[in-house]
Amino acid sequence: MTRPRDDFLSAHETPRILRLGPNLHAACFALMKLLPARFMLDRAEEDGRLAPGGHIVETSSGTFGLALALLAAVRGYGLTLVTASSLVDAAFVRRLEQLGARLLVVEDRAGSGAQAERLARLRALLAEQPEAFWPRQYDNPDNALSYARLAELALGALGRIDCLVGGVGSGGSLCGTARVLRCLFPALRVVAVDTHRSCLFGHRPGPRLLRGLGNSILPANLEHGLVDELHWVGALPAFAATRRLYRSQGLYRGPSSGAAWLVADWWARHNPGASVLVILPDEGHRYRDSLYDDAWLAGLKGWPPAEPPEPVALGRVRPGGEGDWTFLEWGGRSLSAVPGAWRRHRRRPGADQAG
Amino acid sequence: MPSPNDAIAGTSRPPLAVGTGTAMAHHGELLQGVFEGADGRLHRGLVTLPLPSLRARATFWPRRLGAIATRPARRSKAARAAALALAHLGFSGHGGELTLESEIPLGHGYGSSTADVIATLRAVAAAAGTSLRRATTARLAAAAEGASDAIAYGTQAVLFAQREGRMLELLGAELPPLVVVSLVSGQERAVDTLALAPARYDSGEIEFFRALRGLLRCAVERQDPWLLGRVATASARIGQRHLPKPRFEHALGLAREHGTCGLQVSHSGSLMGILLDGRGQDVAAQAAALVHEARRAGFGRAASFALGAEGVRLA
């Protein structure tokens, strides 16, 4: 195995391990998705799924697309990203296009993310270019596998880890890290952070204000059986936490980092004897004109949210609004075993995972 | 390769004299797998658990000409090591007699063969009035044997590429203080370790080794036998998938019931070691109780040894 000469990119994907409290540490990334993206491309290059000068296609509106664009530019691949009009702004589109990526923007007036339409466009692309490589971050097991590197760094710095807190979008970072840590510390508590109207843990999917976590489809990389405790954080408490994280720790992060830190900080304060690690995926520059703009926040319905934020304990899955923060003892159950959970595939009993 | 003696212009080389060298045994591995090197490639590597109380001793009587004869006869790896050391030190073509005496049992994974080889390298160096660097010792040992354990580094914690005979990572300190209760797994016959096919790890295992390496670094930095025990146990479990040892689960059960740090194994032998915290107040008594119980449970050769556990007097 020969590694391509782009180790300079590893600085973006290597987290700093920061102490944020007496028993709370953060794995703080510049661009977390570069870690799985680089690993997936390495593996695809090794086994010939991606030939030199080949083409990559993916549906992404976020940092995974950015990571692919960086890699494609450095390694000399073509890249087509399918995205939705509701999910990208002009600055981000420019940032991707300057790296040579081609963007196909699907119209999405409803603001739902247009997952089904994006997948249809992607399949059409693959029909035209059958040799193109589709990384499939939601279902590619290499995504989760790549996070052993995060575990390596965290274990090297912290030794014993009792609790892992992280947001879930593809499931790769939280489940990939948790699986490794639990092999070494079987009593590890895994706390997942999702948001309302994401279907990952049983909400009916719908428009969401909070970006960077949650999903409208179920990725295979999400292993519900690994999760002990599940938090649904609405956009308002997440934005407020992101701003508080900036003020109190000097960390200018994206809202998924804020949501994860909100939960981790609360959990660590309630379990002072436990060593807690929280994953903070990326930086806040994309959100300069939204959650880092007071005027923008003031225009949100329900802003500012109640302080201090406290979660409401649930006994079953219940829908929530953007101002709510709820949690449920998940207990390693499958989605079908949790009362109140919405599932797309009710007509196919037992099918928890949309391929 | 230029020899050190050639490099010192104008010095006349003193003749070879009789030299002796010793090397310690080991008790298998604390960690074994594949690991990324500085070159970005994967290398087979291990962390050896040294067993300092068992030693091999080599004595080298040099002769100006001729082959290298060994006593006992036909110790070809040690003879090869002597020739490599002579060549490295600028005495190509010299021969001699090499006597090997060892307390280390053959087979089972105590590293008897590597100890012979490393004692020989040290004996030849002593015969030349010098000593070898540890990196040179390890490299020549691997060249003589095809593979080598990390005992050239003694009780220093190193991640070592056994087939290349070089260090992948210096962990920067000694191993944490341990008391080890040694068990010989069911198969009591010796194992030809070099004849074994190397394990083929899957991608999940290869990535998992990264995490084990991370925890190992922390265990050594903090001198924490409990973290080290987690690394060893997880590594032993992976080893069990590739070269299963009889009674592994039984040994693991003993390790667990007695609240120990964990279990290590000799990945290509039949040794298993229950790891105890060498700093513990009553660690000698705990080890004695474990040895007693293990013998009753059918591990007839159970015994204990200490590694860096100061002041611990084992029965």
Side-chain angles (χ1 to χ4, degrees):
Chain A
M1 182 179 75
T2 317
R3 210 164 281 280
R5 300 239 154 258
D6 54 16
D7 272 0
F8 53 88
L9 287 177
S10 70
H12 303 301
E13 70 182 41
T14 304
R16 292 169 295 151
I17 307 293
L18 304 176
R19 185 167 179 270
L20 300 184
N23 61 331
L24 174 61
H25 284 79
C28 196
F29 285 90
L31 179 57
M32 181 179 79
K33 291 292 177 123
L34 197 55
L35 183 68
R38 207 153 74 104
F39 189 71
M40 283 184 240
L41 293 200
D42 284 350
R43 298 291 301 273
E45 287 166 2
E46 275 163 40
D47 62 22
R49 280 173 293 158
L50 178 57
H55 201 88
I56 303 166
V57 296
E58 182 59 289
T59 155
S60 169
S61 316
T63 53
F64 186 66
L66 178 60
L68 285 177
L70 284 167
L71 287 163
V74 169
R75 295 189 181 182
Y77 296 115
L79 172 66
T80 306
L81 290 171
V82 184
T83 182
S85 59
S86 60
L87 300 178
V88 286
D89 55 80
F92 196 62
V93 168
R94 280 199 300 275
R95 204 170 160 193
L96 293 168
E97 287 180 341
Q98 283 163 15
L99 290 165
R102 186 166 73 108
L103 263 76
L104 294 181
V105 182
V106 173
E107 196 56 47
D108 176 30
R109 288 211 181 80
S112 66
Q115 286 274 17
E117 295 85 342
R118 283 157 62 190
L119 276 172
R121 284 292 283 277
L122 191 116
R123 288 187 195 284
L125 277 175
L126 281 169
E128 290 165 29
Q129 283 182 282
E131 76 293 345
F133 172 60
W134 178 19
R136 300 171 64 103
Q137 68 152 333
Y138 291 161
D139 303 331
N140 185 339
D142 289 341
N143 177 359
L145 216 48
S146 70
Y147 287 94
R149 288 166 195 257
L150 165 54
E152 174 185 358
L153 285 168
L155 290 165
L158 308 179
R160 199 192 82 220
I161 296 168
D162 301 308
C163 174
L164 174 68
V165 183
V168 180
S170 73
S173 61
L174 184 72
C175 295
T177 311
R179 206 189 302 153
V180 167
L181 293 181
R182 194 167 271 164
C183 284
L184 289 160
F185 300 100
L188 176 81
R189 186 157 180 93
V190 177
V191 179
V193 181
D194 192 8
T195 189
H196 311 291
R197 284 182 296 283
S198 148
C199 75
L200 292 172
F201 290 88
H203 278 193
R204 176 181 289 278
R208 300 182 294 278
L209 196 50
L210 179 56
R211 305 284 311 282
L213 50 77
N215 208 327
S216 297
I217 57 170
L218 267 179
N221 276 318
L222 170 55
E223 280 183 66
H224 292 90
L226 284 170
V227 175
D228 297 301
E229 181 177 324
L230 190 276
H231 287 247
W232 286 278
V233 178
L236 302 187
F239 293 163
T242 311
R243 293 290 296 265
R244 215 163 46 243
L245 179 61
Y246 183 36
R247 261 197 326 273
S248 65
Q249 313 276 352
L251 295 175
Y252 192 76
R253 311 293 302 173
S256 64
S257 293
W261 174 71
L262 173 68
V263 172
D265 180 64
W266 174 83
W267 204 94
R269 280 187 282 112
H270 285 80
N271 298 273
S275 163
V276 183
L277 175 69
V278 59
I279 303 171
L280 305 183
D282 33 51
E283 293 173 342
H285 307 291
R286 266 185 93 186
Y287 305 94
R288 193 189 62 183
D289 297 326
S290 53
L291 72 94
Y292 285 103
D293 177 352
D294 288 344
W296 185 88
L297 285 177
L300 294 178
K301 187 164 166 274
W303 186 265
E307 296 276 352
E310 275 293 323
V312 173
L314 302 179
R316 54 178 284 128
V317 178
R318 286 191 191 286
E322 293 294 14
D324 296 330
W325 172 15
T326 56
F327 77 102
L328 178 64
E329 179 67 25
W330 192 266
R333 287 174 288 181
S334 68
L335 199 50
S336 56
V338 175
W342 179 91
R343 289 184 303 137
R344 188 184 298 276
H345 294 287
R346 278 176 202 278
R347 62 189 175 277
R348 270 169 45 203
D352 276 355
Q353 295 178 345
Chain B
M1 179 179 304
S3 80
N5 294 45
D6 294 341
I8 307 169
T11 55
S12 64
R13 194 169 59 194
L16 291 169
V18 176
T20 62
T22 67
M24 65 177 78
H26 66 73
H27 196 272
E29 293 76 36
L30 290 160
L31 171 61
Q32 177 157 338
V34 293
F35 304 93
E36 192 174 310
D39 58 359
R41 290 166 185 268
L42 293 174
H43 301 260
R44 291 185 183 275
L46 48 75
V47 177
T48 294
L49 174 60
L51 173 43
S53 56
L54 289 180
R55 302 190 75 87
R57 180 185 181 88
T59 310
F60 183 63
W61 282 273
R63 287 214 202 94
R64 216 164 236 304
L65 291 166
I68 289 157
T70 65
R71 252 185 325 198
R74 290 187 296 279
R75 293 293 174 91
S76 58
K77 291 171 189 166
R80 205 150 49 230
L84 285 169
L86 285 168
H88 178 74
L89 294 168
F91 294 94
S92 293
H94 284 59
E97 275 188 28
L98 183 66
T99 303
L100 297 161
E101 301 154 280
S102 183
E103 311 157 354
I104 307 170
L106 292 175
H108 297 300
Y110 288 107
S112 54
S113 155
T114 298
D116 281 352
V117 162
I118 287 179
T120 298
L121 294 168
R122 289 175 175 159
V124 171
T130 185
S131 59
L132 296 173
R133 297 169 62 85
R134 293 179 298 185
T136 309
T137 311
R139 179 169 56 78
L140 295 179
E145 270 203 285
S148 167
D149 308 303
I151 59 159
Y153 289 89
T155 58
Q156 187 82 31
V158 292
L159 182 62
F160 187 78
Q162 68 271 29
R163 287 178 184 260
E164 300 155 59
R166 65 182 186 85
M167 199 164 62
L168 289 171
E169 182 174 343
L170 176 64
L171 293 155
E174 291 172 280
L175 288 165
L178 295 169
V179 167
V180 183
V181 172
S182 165
L183 312 173
V184 179
S185 160
Q187 82 223 27
E188 303 264 330
R189 65 180 189 283
V191 181
D192 179 1
T193 48
L194 286 169
L196 291 167
R200 293 183 60 86
Y201 300 109
D202 67 30
S203 54
E205 289 169 336
I206 289 169
E207 294 308 306
F208 185 60
F209 288 134
R210 292 182 195 279
L212 291 183
R213 185 178 188 172
L215 192 56
L216 171 74
R217 288 184 187 123
C218 188
V220 173
E221 190 193 319
R222 296 189 190 170
Q223 292 289 292
D224 185 335
W226 295 93
L227 294 179
L228 187 66
R230 301 232 175 215
V231 173
T233 307
S235 175
R237 278 200 175 287
I238 293 175
Q240 193 64 5
R241 288 185 214 151
H242 295 277
L243 187 69
K245 283 185 207 325
R247 313 197 64 200
F248 174 81
E249 293 298 333
H250 194 159
L252 198 56
L254 275 176
R256 221 177 256 134
E257 285 155 26
H258 284 251
T260 67
C261 303
L263 182 75
Q264 61 81 224
V265 299
S266 154
H267 284 253
S268 53
S270 49
L271 298 176
M272 300 188 279
I274 298 176
L275 304 175
L276 310 181
D277 184 345
R279 305 163 304 185
Q281 285 285 311
D282 51 354
V283 63
Q286 199 192 358
L290 249 171
V291 166
H292 181 71
E293 189 173 331
R295 284 188 182 154
R296 282 211 328 197
F299 290 104
R301 295 162 63 169
S304 61
F305 69 93
L307 179 71
E310 291 169 354
V312 173
R313 296 172 71 87
L314 297 169

